[in-house]
Amino acid sequence: MGGRILVADEVATNRIVLKVKLSSAYYDVQLAETAAAARKAMRRGGLDMVIADARLGGTHGLTLCRTIKADPSTMHIPVLLLTADDDPELRLKALAAGADDILDKPPEESLLLARVRNLLRARETEQELHLRDGTHAALGFAEANQPIMDPALIAFVVADPAEGMRLRRSVSTLCEDEVMILSRDETLGRKDDSPQPDVFVIPAGLMSKDDGLELMTELRSRGATRHCPVILTEAQVESSIAARAFDLGASDLLRPGADPRELVQRIKTQVRRKRLADALRADVRDGLRAAVTDPLTGLYNRRYALPHLSRVREAALRNGRDFAVMLIDLDHFKSVNDRFGHPAGDSVLVEVASRLRDNLRAKDLIARIGGEEFLVVLPDTDRGQAEKAAARLCGVVNAAPVRVEGLGEEIGVSVSIGVSIASPGLSGGSPTIARLMAEADDALYGSKSQGRNQYTLSPQAA
Amino acid sequence: MGGRILVADEVATNRIVLKVKLSSAYYDVQLAETAAAARKAMRRGGLDMVIADARLGGTHGLTLCRTIKADPSTMHIPVLLLTADDDPELRLKALAAGADDILDKPPEESLLLARVRNLLRARETEQELHLRDGTHAALGFAEANQPIMDPALIAFVVADPAEGMRLRRSVSTLCEDEVMILSRDETLGRKDDSPQPDVFVIPAGLMSKDDGLELMTELRSRGATRHCPVILTEAQVESSIAARAFDLGASDLLRPGADPRELVQRIKTQVRRKRLADALRADVRDGLRAAVTDPLTGLYNRRYALPHLSRVREAALRNGRDFAVMLIDLDHFKSVNDRFGHPAGDSVLVEVASRLRDNLRAKDLIARIGGEEFLVVLPDTDRGQAEKAAARLCGVVNAAPVRVEGLGEEIGVSVSIGVSIASPGLSGGSPTIARLMAEADDALYGSKSQGRNQYTLSPQAA
């Protein structure tokens, strides 16, 4: 089934016509004949979209839209307003009220369905970023209502630089945003690392018929610009171009001769959406990073380390090179905590973690896998190299005591290390991860029982 | 700039023509005239796509493709093969070698560019799932090489049921997958919770001109099917329909009269991709869930709890209803660890967490925010209700000792609770989160110093 769409219109015929059109694409259509009935349907919930007459009961279409867009629990529901008046002020008011679009009444069927698909697809993408089940909201990161302060960078793509200047002038009196003028070739030839626009504005027929749509699909296929909204201008909304543009992923469409204020309003809406979506994407990355990171030391955690070790082992089985595993335990850590308190203990952990990390190669892994226990994985490392690395790590940790902010005395630190080596090149030389960890643990125990502050290599595999 | 594309063809003219076509869309084109030169370019890295003559140096085009698709570090690079022969066996071999498509030579420009865009867009989406910077690989979840065992569910959409039967017969002799036959209306009217196909196969002109494309865009706009690949059949690849289909997001295209084995091969490829992408998406969800969860008790962690508390406070400021905050500390936990060992201590934590959780409402939050410390947030809860809840929680924890597997004796447990209440309805009644936490902490301290196993309410705000 398609989504559930509420249609609000005072005139029964209008409601019925819309219902028939939408039902043909298997949307689940609900009808309301007053703004009050529409609000009631909203409260029942479960709606994916609202299509309302802008003048429902006078001006209640706009009020309804404002209400929906002001409530965090409904603001993501697309609102499509319809109007029979050719009134630029009403169009502006509708967009300012947060309407996702305002279409002429009655809307042409293929355009209506394409716009509905387009808005629902955008909503699905957005919901996916929210992770549907609320995990994202649960993370408590970017919230929908952040004010957007920074000026945006708007790119107008034009065939003629003079047209660009005219556009820039008409827009700059209306907003604080920065405007750049690009040709088609400049748009496509732009370096990926140059600042990307927050929104592209492209004429549907940039230089020839429909080539604005092609430029848009190019931008959509590129990593640097695929999430940039594209507003197509000069598009006859009555024509099949408009429906195609929406199906190809246009974020919005502006008819020929539209008021510049309307363009600016539509730009604002797209920029706000893009920034929110960017923030949500960044949150997903941060959240995932947090899932594999130890918050105290910033090292990877156990969850990360063990699969990583498996991958290192698999690579070694392919390339036949040795690799080494170290278990490192901070000596006498409990007594540090007991004598100086937990905050001092934490400082010691952070400092030791940093000394260890700074003395490993970029391709080595270090993770904190327990309270005072670290795991180090060294790919492409044979017995001799592993021994040198272990000696170095013992040395740098023990070289100087740790100074703790606000504590009178310095705390002497040392680590004990157990090392195991896998030699997949030798026959019988591809021990399991469990075996390698157990060997390293036995070796660590050896270091501890021999007096700490030293490393032990597990005996060579038979 | 567009992506970097390697063009491999023995004939200089062919290389130049392709380079001109691709450069017009600002792709960065590299040329190779032998399979050896192509392999060398692959090793240098940084390629986004390979376009090669299938018969490069005899059959080396296929070998090159196989090599690229066998190496985990390059398997995600799309490979487009070209052939001047009308040889169904070669087409099959190309697809079996992992080619993303095989096009006639020379390819028509708009079709070529649309297919390139389409494949690069799919690659971008896939890379985004991999999170580009390697975080995803870092998580160590789903790996690319998982064998895919389960039979797929293939949906053939047809205008005529007899045609569906014919298709089913021709396909079922070639694969083990399950085939379902749907009409357009059945496809659109399907319940979201019925099993979704792994792939849709739709004729470009299902019942009338191009309406297969429209059906595809409908499926793309719906949450339940937006990630299902769609293979369009009966599409004249020479016509503009093919280019449009790719720009609208078709996963693949099959020309009229194609060998059923070709269809089955293309279906296999799409199913494999979809399953990998689904696994990656699930990993993102799991990873994020892990970021906000305490692994021992399964409760939310501090990272989750504090933003959640802020949201509860904001909602309370809007609706004017009281809410309560509890800090709960497990009594004498250190001595449990000392006497019975850490594993027993962990069991006690898990059991107490479960008793607390089972005695809260669904809308309440409980999180483990420290070793033996829990935070409970109770929305829409006044002083009297909070007191009752605290008394109940003290009671259920203390009601029975904890039985620990493998331990001779049972461990008696109790908690101390500190409660603070926010009354945003009262003047001056919207304390900050920090203030509420501090009040609850003071109250908790009161419970501890009064002998534990009890709750204390913070004094009513002035």
Side-chain angles (χ1 to χ4, degrees):
Chain A
M1 288 296 287
R4 181 171 298 173
I5 301 179
L6 175 69
V7 168
D9 197 301
E10 288 178 303
V11 181
T13 327
N14 294 347
R15 290 196 301 273
I16 307 282
V17 167
L18 277 173
K19 176 160 183 160
V20 169
K21 286 178 182 172
L22 293 167
S23 299
S24 75
Y26 286 83
Y27 293 105
D28 174 3
V29 182
Q30 302 199 345
L31 301 177
E33 60 181 300
T34 62
R39 279 194 301 274
K40 201 168 158 196
M42 288 299 305
R43 278 195 299 273
R44 274 197 304 272
L47 292 176
D48 295 298
M49 189 169 202
V50 174
I51 302 181
D53 184 352
R55 294 216 184 277
L56 187 69
T59 56
H60 290 117
L62 297 184
T63 314
L64 177 68
C65 179
R66 251 178 245 118
T67 311
I68 293 171
K69 295 296 179 178
D71 181 343
S73 71
T74 57
M75 63 189 300
H76 296 294
I77 300 175
V79 176
L80 200 52
L81 294 180
L82 303 179
T83 175
D85 314 342
D86 186 15
D87 175 356
E89 296 302 324
L90 180 64
R91 298 178 68 80
L92 273 178
K93 275 187 202 156
L95 296 170
D100 293 79
D101 206 350
I102 173 155
L103 297 181
D104 289 335
K105 202 173 164 184
E108 193 270 316
E109 178 162 349
S110 66
L111 173 67
L112 174 71
L113 291 178
R115 190 46 158 155
V116 166
R117 281 196 289 270
N118 172 281
L119 288 172
L120 288 177
R121 194 168 50 195
R123 173 173 156 82
E124 285 296 334
T125 306
E126 212 168 64
Q127 284 203 317
E128 202 162 272
L129 276 177
H130 282 96
L131 301 174
R132 291 171 188 289
D133 51 5
T135 305
H136 206 127
L139 284 166
F141 302 134
E143 288 294 316
N145 290 317
Q146 288 177 342
I148 284 144
M149 313 302 263
D150 293 346
L153 177 57
I154 309 169
F156 283 103
V157 185
V158 292
D160 167 17
E163 163 71 5
M165 299 306 288
R166 197 191 60 74
L167 266 170
R168 189 206 295 264
R169 265 196 310 275
S170 77
V171 164
S172 11
T173 58
L174 295 170
C175 67
E176 304 282 299
D177 301 320
E178 196 184 331
V179 172
M180 70 197 296
I181 309 294
L182 297 171
S183 69
R184 169 191 176 276
D185 288 6
E186 285 164 350
T187 305
L188 290 176
R190 255 177 137 238
K191 292 226 168 64
D192 289 356
D193 55 0
S194 47
Q196 293 301 331
D198 293 296
V199 57
F200 284 99
V201 181
I202 306 176
L206 177 58
M207 294 180 297
S208 62
K209 188 171 170 298
D210 301 359
D211 63 346
L213 274 68
E214 197 181 322
L215 177 59
M216 175 177 78
T217 58
E218 280 290 348
L219 292 174
R220 284 269 180 275
S221 73
R222 299 178 174 200
T225 51
R226 65 195 301 251
H227 296 303
C228 289
V230 174
I231 302 178
L232 287 173
T233 58
E234 304 296 319
Q236 295 289 353
V237 289
E238 300 75 17
S239 72
S240 66
I241 294 285
R244 265 183 65 200
F246 284 130
D247 278 339
L248 287 170
S251 312
D252 205 351
L253 213 68
L254 195 77
R255 62 182 69 199
D259 192 318
R261 291 176 298 166
E262 185 178 332
L263 175 57
V264 169
Q265 183 63 54
R266 290 183 188 266
I267 287 173
K268 270 199 211 322
T269 301
Q270 293 306 324
V271 170
R272 196 173 56 233
R273 285 221 179 123
K274 172 176 191 287
R275 292 195 170 167
L276 180 59
D278 285 348
L280 290 171
R281 269 187 293 270
D283 286 349
V284 170
R285 282 194 300 274
D286 292 350
L288 288 175
R289 227 171 262 133
V292 296
T293 308
D294 164 44
L296 179 63
T297 61
L299 300 182
Y300 283 113
N301 61 16
R302 173 182 282 270
R303 178 185 175 92
Y304 173 88
L306 297 183
H308 177 90
L309 180 50
S310 294
R311 281 192 300 273
V312 167
R313 178 173 176 271
E314 277 158 31
L317 290 178
R318 277 198 303 270
N319 65 30
R321 288 202 283 270
D322 292 4
F323 68 98
V325 173
M326 290 183 190
L327 286 174
I328 304 182
D329 202 86
L330 185 52
D331 296 328
H332 301 301
F333 183 62
K334 194 172 173 308
S335 76
V336 170
N337 274 332
D338 289 348
R339 279 182 59 202
F340 304 103
H342 276 278
D346 284 354
S347 298
V348 167
L349 276 171
V350 168
E351 172 61 22
V352 169
S354 140
R355 290 183 190 179
L356 293 172
R357 178 175 42 202
D358 293 348
N359 284 278
L360 290 164
R361 300 166 300 178
K363 66 177 167 183
D364 300 331
L365 170 86
I366 174 163
R368 181 180 175 209
I369 59 168
E372 65 257 41
E373 196 172 20
F374 303 91
L375 170 71
V376 173
V377 182
L378 305 125
D380 306 334
T381 299
D382 64 21
R383 200 171 176 82
Q385 292 165 320
E387 178 159 12
K388 266 188 218 152
R392 187 174 65 239
L393 293 177
C394 277
V396 296
V397 170
N398 194 230
V402 175
R403 205 171 305 205
V404 175
E405 187 110 16
L407 200 69
E409 59 189 304
E410 296 182 324
I411 305 175
V413 284
S414 68
V415 289
S416 298
I417 303 184
V419 187
S420 62
I421 293 115
S423 301
L426 301 180
S427 65
S430 55
T432 61
I433 296 294
R435 170 90 182 277
L436 278 169
M437 294 288 283
E439 285 178 2
D441 200 46
D442 288 347
L444 171 61
Y445 183 79
S447 295
K448 289 277 182 192
S449 58
Q450 296 293 315
R452 300 185 169 81
N453 190 25
Q454 58 190 282
Y455 65 89
T456 305
L457 268 64
S458 79
Q460 198 128 24
Chain B
M1 289 295 288
R4 180 173 296 172
I5 302 179
L6 176 69
V7 168
D9 197 302
E10 289 178 302
V11 182
T13 327
N14 293 347
R15 291 197 300 273
I16 307 282
V17 167
L18 277 173
K19 177 162 181 157
V20 169
K21 285 178 181 170
L22 293 167
S23 299
S24 75
Y26 286 82
Y27 293 104
D28 174 3
V29 182
Q30 302 198 345
L31 301 177
E33 61 181 301
T34 62
R39 279 196 301 274
K40 203 169 155 195
M42 288 299 304
R43 278 195 298 272
R44 274 198 304 273
L47 292 174
D48 296 300
M49 188 171 205
V50 174
I51 303 181
D53 184 353
R55 293 213 184 278
L56 186 69
T59 56
H60 290 117
L62 297 184
T63 314
L64 178 68
C65 179
R66 252 179 244 117
T67 312
I68 293 170
K69 296 296 181 180
D71 180 344
S73 71
T74 57
M75 63 189 301
H76 297 295
I77 299 176
V79 177
L80 200 53
L81 294 180
L82 303 179
T83 177
D85 313 344
D86 186 15
D87 175 357
E89 295 303 323
L90 179 65
R91 299 179 65 83
L92 273 177
K93 276 187 200 156
L95 296 170
D100 293 78
D101 206 349
I102 175 156
L103 296 182
D104 288 335
K105 203 174 160 183
E108 194 269 315
E109 178 163 349
S110 66
L111 172 67
L112 174 72
L113 291 177
R115 189 46 157 154
V116 166
R117 279 195 292 268
N118 173 280
L119 289 173
L120 288 177
R121 195 169 50 196
R123 172 173 157 82
E124 285 295 334
T125 307
E126 214 169 61
Q127 284 204 317
E128 202 163 273
L129 277 177
H130 281 95
L131 301 176
R132 294 175 187 286
D133 53 4
T135 305
H136 206 128
L139 284 166
F141 300 135
E143 287 296 314
N145 290 317
Q146 288 178 342
I148 284 143
M149 314 302 263
D150 292 347
L153 177 57
I154 307 170
F156 283 103
V157 185
V158 293
D160 166 18
E163 164 70 5
M165 299 305 289
R166 195 191 60 76
L167 265 170
R168 190 206 296 262
R169 265 197 309 276
S170 76
V171 163
S172 22
T173 57
L174 296 170
C175 66
E176 304 282 297
D177 302 320
E178 196 183 330
V179 172
M180 70 196 296
I181 309 293
L182 297 172
S183 68
R184 170 192 176 276
D185 288 5
E186 284 164 350
T187 305
L188 289 176
R190 259 181 130 233
K191 291 228 170 64
D192 289 355
D193 56 358
S194 48
Q196 293 301 330
D198 293 294
V199 58
F200 284 100
V201 181
I202 306 176
L206 177 58
M207 292 180 299
S208 62
K209 190 171 168 300
D210 303 356
D211 64 345
L213 275 66
E214 195 181 322
L215 177 59
M216 174 177 78
T217 58
E218 281 289 347
L219 293 175
R220 284 268 180 276
S221 74
R222 299 177 175 199
T225 52
R226 65 194 302 252
H227 296 303
C228 288
V230 174
I231 301 178
L232 287 172
T233 59
E234 305 295 318
Q236 295 291 351
V237 288
E238 299 75 18
S239 72
S240 66
I241 294 285
R244 266 184 62 200
F246 284 130
D247 277 338
L248 286 170
S251 312
D252 206 352
L253 212 70
L254 196 76
R255 62 183 68 200
D259 191 319
R261 290 176 301 164
E262 185 178 331
L263 174 60
V264 169
Q265 184 62 54
R266 290 183 187 267
I267 287 173
K268 269 197 210 326
T269 301
Q270 293 305 326
V271 170
R272 196 174 54 233
R273 288 224 177 118
K274 172 177 192 284
R275 291 194 172 167
L276 179 59
D278 286 348
L280 289 172
R281 269 188 291 272
D283 285 350
V284 171
R285 280 194 300 273
D286 292 350
L288 288 175
R289 223 170 266 134
V292 296
T293 308
D294 164 44
L296 178 65
T297 59
L299 300 182
Y300 283 113
N301 61 17
R302 173 182 282 272
R303 178 185 176 90
Y304 174 88
L306 297 184
H308 176 90
L309 179 50
S310 294
R311 282 192 298 274
V312 168
R313 177 172 177 270
E314 277 158 31
L317 290 179
R318 278 198 302 271
N319 66 29
R321 289 201 283 268
D322 291 3
F323 68 98
V325 172
M326 288 184 191
L327 286 173
I328 304 183
D329 201 86
L330 186 52
D331 296 328
H332 302 298
F333 182 62
K334 196 173 171 308
S335 77
V336 170
N337 274 330
D338 290 347
R339 280 181 59 202
F340 304 103
H342 276 281
D346 284 354
S347 299
V348 168
L349 276 172
V350 169
E351 173 61 22
V352 169
S354 140
R355 289 183 192 177
L356 292 173
R357 180 175 41 205
D358 293 349
N359 284 280
L360 291 164
R361 302 165 300 179
K363 67 176 167 182
D364 300 332
L365 169 87
I366 174 164
R368 182 180 174 209
I369 59 168
E372 66 256 41
E373 196 172 19
F374 303 90
L375 170 71
V376 172
V377 181
L378 306 126
D380 307 332
T381 300
D382 65 22
R383 200 172 176 82
Q385 293 164 317
E387 178 160 11
K388 266 187 216 153
R392 186 175 66 238
L393 293 177
C394 276
V396 294
V397 170
N398 195 230
V402 176
R403 204 170 305 205
V404 176
E405 187 108 17
L407 198 72
E409 58 190 303
E410 296 182 324
I411 305 175
V413 283
S414 68
V415 289
S416 298
I417 303 184
V419 187
S420 61
I421 293 113
S423 301
L426 299 183
S427 64
S430 54
T432 61
I433 297 295
R435 169 90 184 275
L436 279 169
M437 293 289 283
E439 286 178 2
D441 200 46
D442 287 347
L444 171 60
Y445 183 78
S447 296
K448 289 280 183 190
S449 59
Q450 297 292 316
R452 300 186 169 80
N453 191 23
Q454 58 190 284
Y455 65 88
T456 305
L457 268 62
S458 79
Q460 197 127 24

